[in-house]
Amino acid sequence: MTDPNAIQPSALDQLPDRDPEETAEWQASLDAVAREAGPHRAAYLMRRTLERAEAGGIALPKLLETDYVNTIPTSAEPGLPGDPEMEARITAWNRWNAAAMVTRGAKYGVGGHIATFASAAWLYETGFNHFFKGKEGDGSGDQLYIQGHASPGIYARAFLDGRLNEHHLDNFRQEAGGNGLPSYPHPRRLPWLWEFPTVSMGLGPLSAIYQARFNRYLTNRGIKDVSASHVWAFLGDGEMDEPESTAALALAAREELDNLTFVINCNLQRLDGPVRANFKIVQELEAQFRGAGWNVVKTLWGTAWDELFQLDTTGALVRRLRQVPDAQIQTYQTRDAAYIRADFFGKDPALVEMAKLLSDDKILECFHLSRGGHEARKVYAAYKAAVEHKGAPTVILAQTVKGHTLGEGFASKNANHQMKKLSVDEFKTMRDLLGLPIKDSDFVDGVVPYGHPGADSPEVRYLQERRAALGGPAPARRTHALAPLPAPAEKAFASFDKGSGSQNVATTMAFVRLVKDLVRDKETGRRWVPIVPDEARTFGMESLFPSLGIYSPKGQTYEPVDRDQLMYYKEAKNGQILNEGITEAGSMADFIAASTAYATHGEAMIPFYIFYSMFGWQRTADQMWQLGDQLGRGFLVGATAGRTTLTGEGLQHADGHSPVIAATNPAALTYDPAFAYEIAVIVREGLRRMYGEAKPGEDQNVFYYLTVYNEPLPQPAKPQGLGIDEGIVKGLYRFNTAESAGVTAPANAPRIQLLGSGTAIHWALEAQKLLAEEWGVAADVWSATSWSELRRDAMDADAALLRGEERVPFVRQALQGAEGPVLAVSDYMRQVPDQIAQWVEQDWSSLGADGFGLSDTREAARRHFGVDAQSIVVAALAQLAKRGEVKATAVKEAREKYGL
């Protein structure tokens, strides 16, 4: 059995010891220190030695955890510029109005959060006064990811600087009237203020990393120099439990994103209680970020602690701070000096002696009030260190008290996240604490007043002067008056009109070929941003590697193994492709940054993100909602789509429901094209709508989702006739009739309309032939390029009717006069085509791949789900038999004939 106290071998044991005698002397010295001065002194010396080695560039494993003290000692703090007293008054007004806004709204039951901003006020105010660059200066300014629950404080500041008025504040969380404020940062709801939606926890930090990375991408590709922009992400310590919060830490360090700073508000509380009741979240996060390669700055204790640390000649105080779990730190916040003397200081004789030198007031000041995150000077020092650090991103771990300044009823209480209001007496206590000139008589009928020093007051002038010096208001979103991008040459799209002849081509390959042509366009080609999660070869995109290059800030520091091949793996500092490795979440974060560059940087970029269909909406639908909320534009492409089309992969890969999820997103335009020419029409229309000349009343802030398949099939020529392109864009057109298809059916044969989307149209075409030749039924085949767009149009028509306007849904117009019942089929669950059932006047039925996927051949899978050509024939005969247009026995005969 291994002795746990034995010295374990290390990697160094594998190296020959060139001087065993010197090694023994070092070890003996350490033993002597531990024996004479104690193990704590030995540990202290080892820590300092390791830090010195790290600073000197000596290759040793990093020290992942430091003492529970400030990284920047008081003696090394820079002086706080500006007017600290003025900034304190401004912060006091903002604290008051944030609490007043939520409290006044509480009578309507709309909720809100008070405690988060109360803890983080100085984290924001210090940035607004000294660091955050606005958009009216040179470049793009900084990008601010505001913690969602702190939004009342941001609104309070916008009220102070004149961008909001009392009417706005009184309509916090009451938007229906048109002048309200959204609960959290929502660009779609307040697009002049908010840039980034952050309340779906974990997506803010992930997006911030990829935004900082995309800024480098734009600069390195020569699109726009945004090297002066800095990305600031404000996060909660509880939020860091979300997997997405830390998913891309290594990427940020690997690519040396020193244009990125995380500010984590460590108030030690999450929604229900302590973040780490029995542990220390700050130490855990420090180790995690240091291990990932980040620069870590801890801002834990305020200046009141300086005296205590100077008295700590034995290290007992630092040791005790490292031992006390977070929940006990919270308890000290609410207990008297006697309790703290007994529980904190009483555990160590050296601390007992120290406590004798401290008054009760001093102990309460330290344990109740003095946190690094509540002092502008401490925060300023941390921010300055962050922006000046080069070669790695920085995380600032700022310790605060949740509910700070809100009174004893709020501070550090487990329930304070759910507490929505203060009483009048609590507000008066807060007023006195903050020193605000608000009179008792200002509380009319028990309603707390908003406070404002006046539009021409010294506070407002100072605030506006500081923002002017930093480049204008922040946060702010700018919609630049960009000229429409010129349409690519028509040749790229028209080449698909003639079809593929005898060659079989999958629609995935058709899309990739179209993109290859579009990225060569002289006007807009450089604006395309191809994004792929390590599946480029799956989708046939490897031919783009040598021509476009894969983006890498390091370029290519090695000789690729396939350098002698035509399609070799080429990385480049100005590479155009973002190949993200196996991370759909990272790829979506890329897409969001690129799709909103038109607003963030005034540069229209055209991202297309192509992914394994099942791993798009299934895994990252939350980010796709974030994309819509952030007003993103671009093309999402679900490749290897469908439940029966991807052979062999089985249940976890067989996508039968992504279009259902996509239909829930109001910003998503979902298409399931069957043919290459349809893809060309849809992409051309998407480029016009999102980047070209918008039609009156048309919303450009949409994104397109296309499903494409990996099944090589003949690509037909585009049918001739009016309205084909319109039908493709709107979602439905007649591909052929029984007569134009050349199938033989008797005169006056029963007729049915077969609607198919995506690859399912090929089964419908085969069924069309079987119905005519074997059952004497004429079938017309329609291509339903977008079930959800047909539904959206029909719902708009319904809404118009309620307003007294006469509108006929497009699906009804298209099918008007079509004889017989309608049978719809797709490679997805029946819910997909059934979206339009209520607006179809003809008898309706549908087929789909409901249930779980399975591993088998395409033919076997389609037979299993009952969507193959023969199953379509049986379903069509059943519909016609119900109408009395074919014999009832025909259905049974067909089942037996086809073995169903």
Side-chain angles (χ1 to χ4, degrees):
M1 184 175 177
T2 304
D3 180 1
N5 296 313
I7 298 175
Q8 299 300 311
S10 71
L12 295 179
D13 293 335
Q14 310 304 316
L15 303 176
D17 190 340
R18 294 182 300 177
D19 194 339
E21 186 175 344
E22 181 185 38
T23 303
E25 290 175 358
W26 277 81
Q27 292 171 337
S29 297
L30 182 63
D31 291 343
V33 171
R35 187 170 55 253
E36 299 298 327
H40 298 306
R41 178 61 181 170
Y44 176 85
L45 290 176
M46 286 301 299
R47 281 177 175 274
R48 298 292 87 83
T49 303
L50 285 169
E51 288 172 355
R52 185 61 174 264
E54 185 177 332
I58 298 173
L60 284 172
K62 287 183 178 295
L63 190 67
L64 294 185
E65 199 178 304
T66 62
D67 289 326
Y68 201 66
V69 296
N70 295 350
T71 302
I72 304 170
T74 301
S75 59
E77 290 171 3
L80 181 63
D83 185 336
E85 290 185 7
M86 183 69 74
E87 292 174 17
R89 292 205 298 273
I90 291 169
T91 304
W93 285 116
N94 291 338
R95 285 182 180 279
W96 177 271
N97 288 321
M101 178 193 328
V102 177
T103 297
R104 286 168 69 132
K107 65 182 179 182
Y108 301 110
V110 295
H113 301 286
I114 303 178
T116 296
F117 178 73
S119 67
W122 277 114
L123 302 180
Y124 290 105
E125 291 298 325
T126 305
F128 286 130
N129 288 326
H130 301 288
F131 290 95
F132 304 157
K133 295 186 288 291
K135 296 182 176 298
E136 294 172 3
D138 295 334
S140 300
D142 288 353
Q143 287 83 56
L144 308 180
Y145 288 77
I146 305 294
Q147 189 180 1
H149 293 147
S151 63
I154 308 306
Y155 291 140
R157 195 169 215 275
F159 170 63
L160 205 64
D161 72 14
R163 292 193 291 165
L164 294 175
N165 56 41
E166 288 194 15
H167 181 69
H168 290 116
L169 301 193
D170 265 346
N171 283 283
F172 173 61
R173 291 193 170 199
Q174 298 173 71
E175 299 179 76
N179 291 312
L181 300 177
S183 51
Y184 302 126
H186 285 307
R188 188 169 283 276
R189 287 288 178 241
L190 204 61
W192 61 267
L193 180 72
W194 298 120
E195 279 196 284
F196 307 108
T198 54
V199 171
S200 193
M201 297 296 183
L203 298 191
L206 179 67
S207 293
I209 290 173
Y210 280 89
Q211 181 66 57
R213 198 279 198 94
F214 189 74
N215 290 358
R216 289 280 172 85
Y217 172 89
L218 285 179
T219 299
N220 288 336
R221 285 199 54 218
I223 302 292
K224 183 179 182 180
D225 184 356
V226 295
S227 54
S229 290
H230 200 88
V231 177
W232 300 82
F234 289 84
L235 316 167
D237 47 0
E239 181 179 4
M240 300 312 293
D241 283 346
E242 289 284 5
E244 296 87 352
S245 294
T246 55
L249 297 187
L251 167 73
R254 184 169 67 244
E255 300 205 0
E256 300 177 355
L257 298 180
D258 50 27
N259 61 339
L260 170 68
T261 297
F262 275 17
V263 181
I264 302 182
N265 178 14
C266 297
N267 57 35
L268 313 185
Q269 287 184 248
R270 55 191 182 196
L271 306 189
D272 288 333
V275 178
R276 292 289 182 274
N278 297 296
F279 306 94
K280 300 189 81 63
I281 186 60
V282 169
Q283 301 299 86
E284 178 183 319
L285 291 174
E286 178 185 29
Q288 191 170 16
F289 278 86
R290 280 182 176 273
W294 286 54
N295 175 45
V296 179
V297 177
K298 293 197 289 192
T299 303
L300 307 180
W301 307 110
T303 53
W305 283 81
D306 289 349
E307 179 184 341
L308 275 68
F309 288 126
Q310 288 179 6
L311 293 172
D312 185 30
T313 57
T314 65
L317 176 63
V318 172
R319 287 197 303 275
R320 182 67 179 132
L321 287 173
R322 202 162 55 233
Q323 295 166 356
V324 178
D326 284 352
Q328 192 64 21
I329 293 285
Q330 298 294 85
T331 298
Y332 295 148
Q333 177 70 34
T334 63
R335 299 300 176 89
D336 60 19
Y339 178 90
I340 298 170
R341 284 182 187 276
D343 192 86
F344 181 83
F345 292 98
K347 305 292 186 183
D348 187 298
L351 293 181
V352 171
E353 293 303 311
M354 179 190 292
K356 292 177 181 178
L357 304 174
L358 304 174
S359 68
D360 285 356
D361 286 345
K362 182 65 178 181
I363 289 176
L364 293 179
E365 180 187 12
C366 289
F367 283 85
H368 284 194
L369 301 174
S370 189
R371 300 292 186 272
H374 295 324
E375 294 189 15
R377 176 171 171 168
K378 302 290 185 186
V379 176
Y380 179 85
Y383 286 7
K384 190 171 188 292
V387 296
E388 291 178 354
H389 186 84
K390 300 303 175 188
T394 294
V395 59
I396 295 168
L397 303 174
Q399 186 164 259
T400 66
V401 174
K402 194 167 186 177
H404 183 58
T405 74
L406 298 180
E408 294 182 0
F410 262 84
S412 290
K413 295 297 175 65
N414 281 340
N416 62 19
H417 191 79
Q418 280 71 37
M419 296 161 71
K420 310 300 183 186
K421 60 184 177 179
L422 296 174
S423 69
V424 169
D425 287 343
E426 287 171 326
F427 266 109
K428 289 178 180 179
T429 301
M430 181 183 178
R431 171 200 62 189
D432 297 341
L433 175 65
L434 297 176
L436 293 173
I438 296 173
K439 302 185 294 293
D440 285 355
S441 59
D442 293 334
F443 291 81
V444 179
D445 296 327
V447 176
V448 58
Y450 294 121
H452 200 293
D456 196 39
S457 64
E459 292 92 336
V460 172
R461 287 201 306 272
Y462 181 88
L463 182 156
Q464 293 175 341
E465 286 166 4
R466 292 304 309 139
R467 289 312 315 157
L470 288 166
R477 182 180 182 273
R478 292 288 180 267
T479 48
H480 303 265
L482 298 179
L485 293 183
E490 182 60 26
K491 180 181 178 182
F493 305 104
S495 63
F496 292 90
D497 289 354
K498 60 181 180 295
S500 63
S502 59
Q503 182 183 6
N504 289 340
V505 177
T507 51
T508 297
M509 299 311 301
F511 179 84
V512 170
R513 180 186 147 191
L514 175 61
V515 169
K516 285 181 187 177
D517 291 340
L518 293 174
V519 295
R520 295 192 191 105
D521 185 83
K522 291 181 180 179
E523 296 289 337
T524 59
R526 66 196 290 264
R527 297 192 175 274
W528 283 85
V529 184
I531 303 167
V532 60
D534 202 38
E535 293 275 11
R537 297 182 193 278
T538 302
F539 308 137
M541 292 174 60
E542 65 269 28
S543 61
L544 297 176
F545 290 169
S547 58
L548 300 184
I550 299 165
Y551 172 74
S552 168
K554 299 284 187 185
Q556 193 153 34
T557 61
Y558 61 93
E559 183 178 359
V561 66
D562 54 359
R563 182 63 183 87
D564 57 341
Q565 298 177 17
L566 182 63
M567 292 184 286
Y568 71 98
Y569 196 82
K570 177 187 173 184
E571 295 189 78
K573 191 172 182 179
N574 64 346
Q576 194 165 349
I577 301 170
L578 292 172
N579 191 325
E580 288 306 349
I582 305 176
T583 167
E584 285 80 13
S587 299
M588 268 306 302
D590 263 338
F591 187 90
I592 291 168
S595 70
T596 53
Y598 73 92
T600 309
H601 295 299
E603 294 288 343
M605 303 300 288
I606 312 171
F608 81 88
Y609 164 34
I610 186 167
F611 49 86
Y612 223 125
S613 176
M614 184 68 156
F615 308 143
W617 291 88
Q618 167 105 347
R619 288 190 178 176
T620 59
D622 198 10
Q623 286 178 286
M624 290 160 177
W625 193 270
Q626 179 189 12
L627 166 66
D629 201 2
Q630 201 168 316
L631 310 177
R633 305 169 184 173
F635 296 95
L636 297 176
V637 183
T640 59
R643 182 150 279 164
T644 71
T645 303
L646 182 61
T647 56
E649 294 285 0
L651 186 152
Q652 290 180 317
H653 291 64
D655 181 12
H657 57 280
S658 284
V660 178
I661 307 174
T664 66
N665 192 310
L669 276 62
T670 302
Y671 286 89
D672 186 23
F675 306 123
Y677 66 80
E678 293 177 352
I679 292 172
V681 170
I682 293 164
V683 171
R684 181 178 60 196
E685 171 64 10
L687 288 172
R688 180 208 63 77
R689 176 166 178 174
M690 295 185 290
Y691 302 98
E693 293 283 356
K695 297 174 183 176
E698 190 172 53
D699 184 6
Q700 287 189 282
N701 298 316
V702 296
F703 61 91
Y704 282 66
Y705 168 53
L706 283 74
T707 54
V708 293
Y709 299 82
N710 70 329
E711 184 175 14
L713 291 164
Q715 294 297 325
K718 184 178 180 181
Q720 299 298 309
L722 296 173
I724 298 296
D725 285 9
E726 180 189 25
I728 292 172
V729 170
K730 289 190 172 182
L732 183 67
Y733 69 97
R734 184 157 50 192
F735 176 73
N736 69 17
T737 63
E739 291 73 20
S740 65
V743 295
T744 347
N748 300 319
R751 188 173 289 268
I752 191 169
Q753 309 298 318
L754 302 180
L755 277 57
S757 68
T759 197
I761 201 169
H762 296 280
W763 322 330
L765 289 169
E766 186 180 347
Q768 179 188 50
K769 185 177 179 183
L770 291 174
L771 282 166
E773 294 178 354
E774 299 184 7
W775 305 97
V777 172
D780 301 335
V781 175
W782 299 71
S783 180
T785 53
S786 179
W787 307 103
S788 61
E789 283 306 290
L790 290 172
R791 176 179 176 82
R792 196 190 309 263
D793 170 79
M795 291 173 67
D796 288 345
D798 284 355
L801 284 173
L802 291 176
R803 296 191 302 268
E805 304 170 19
E806 288 295 330
R807 267 197 56 193
V808 179
F810 179 79
V811 63
R812 192 168 294 167
Q813 294 178 42
L815 290 171
Q816 187 174 13
E819 297 177 38
V822 168
L823 173 61
V825 61
S826 79
D827 204 9
Y828 300 94
M829 56 198 302
R830 288 177 59 184
Q831 191 173 338
V832 174
D834 283 349
Q835 292 179 81
I836 66 168
Q838 72 184 83
W839 292 282
V840 173
E841 293 181 311
Q842 292 87 345
D843 292 342
W844 172 272
S845 65
S846 63
L847 297 174
D850 285 79
F852 290 106
L854 76 166
S855 301
D856 214 311
T857 64
R858 292 183 182 118
E859 292 75 14
R862 286 163 189 167
R863 176 54 61 92
H864 169 81
F865 286 110
V867 292
D868 61 352
Q870 291 78 11
S871 298
I872 294 173
V873 169
V874 172
L877 292 173
Q879 267 196 293
L880 292 167
K882 263 202 284 187
R883 294 161 57 95
E885 296 179 19
V886 299
K887 294 179 180 178
T889 55
V891 181
K892 182 183 177 190
E893 291 171 13
R895 279 202 305 268
E896 293 173 352
K897 178 180 178 71
Y898 301 131
L900 296 177

